[in-house]
Amino acid sequence: MPPFDIQQIDHLVLRARDQAALVRFYCDVLGCHEERRQDGIGLVQLRAGRSLIDVIGVDGKLGRMGGAAPGAEGHNLDHLCLRVEPFDVEAIRAHLEAHGVEVGEVGSRYGAEGEGLSLYLQDPEGNTVELKGPPDPGKGVVAG
């Protein structure tokens, strides 16, 4: 066992062909907000609850270090799951569709807090984002 306990996801980094569009998507559509910007190295850090989403432009200093840009043949990430509340499927669907975002199937899936409803969508760079609601009563994670 390591001499530490993992508490939560601290941050993840997305490389983007169009950094501004990706920042707008995560802020305007999903409700993150810009916390810190380091234009000299091509980094924008977005607050997502207790975590950060770092957006790196592939043409910036950090982005050039990461190789080819994301595309059909390679993504930087399988998917990002954001825990959201309230999880009102119709309100979420209406909001996303108003922003031109196609919403995937709603289903019950297991997450950090247990089994509960979630849905999938894609951001402008083709990254899959899962929006996850609270666990179903009686189906949360059992401690111990």
Side-chain angles (χ1 to χ4, degrees):
M1 294 292 292
F4 54 82
D5 293 320
I6 295 172
Q7 302 299 309
Q8 68 184 35
I9 293 174
D10 183 85
H11 72 278
L12 63 88
V13 180
L14 298 175
R15 295 177 67 244
R17 294 168 303 218
D18 187 341
Q19 183 183 36
L22 204 58
V23 167
R24 280 192 306 273
F25 175 82
Y26 280 93
C27 291
D28 297 347
V29 177
L30 296 183
C32 295
H33 68 270
E34 189 175 313
E35 180 164 308
R36 192 166 176 242
R37 178 179 286 267
Q38 295 182 47
D39 292 325
I41 59 173
L43 169 65
V44 178
Q45 294 179 293
L46 307 176
R47 175 60 56 186
R50 296 187 318 198
S51 302
L52 291 175
I53 298 172
D54 294 353
V55 181
I56 304 290
V58 294
D59 55 349
K61 180 178 180 179
L62 291 177
R64 287 190 303 271
M65 295 168 50
E73 296 301 315
H75 294 277
N76 293 325
L77 158 85
D78 179 71
H79 78 278
L80 154 68
C81 181
L82 299 173
R83 170 65 165 81
V84 300
E85 201 162 311
F87 193 80
D88 178 332
V89 174
E90 293 311 313
I92 292 170
R93 183 182 308 279
H95 171 75
L96 293 172
E97 289 175 351
H99 285 277
V101 177
E102 186 176 326
V103 180
E105 181 180 333
V106 176
S108 184
R109 299 174 180 95
Y110 191 79
E113 297 176 321
E115 188 79 23
L117 292 178
S118 74
L119 59 83
Y120 289 99
L121 57 114
Q122 288 198 327
D123 72 19
E125 293 282 332
N127 296 300
T128 300
V129 179
E130 179 181 3
L131 299 182
K132 181 98 173 66
D136 291 335
K139 293 187 180 181
V141 173
V142 178

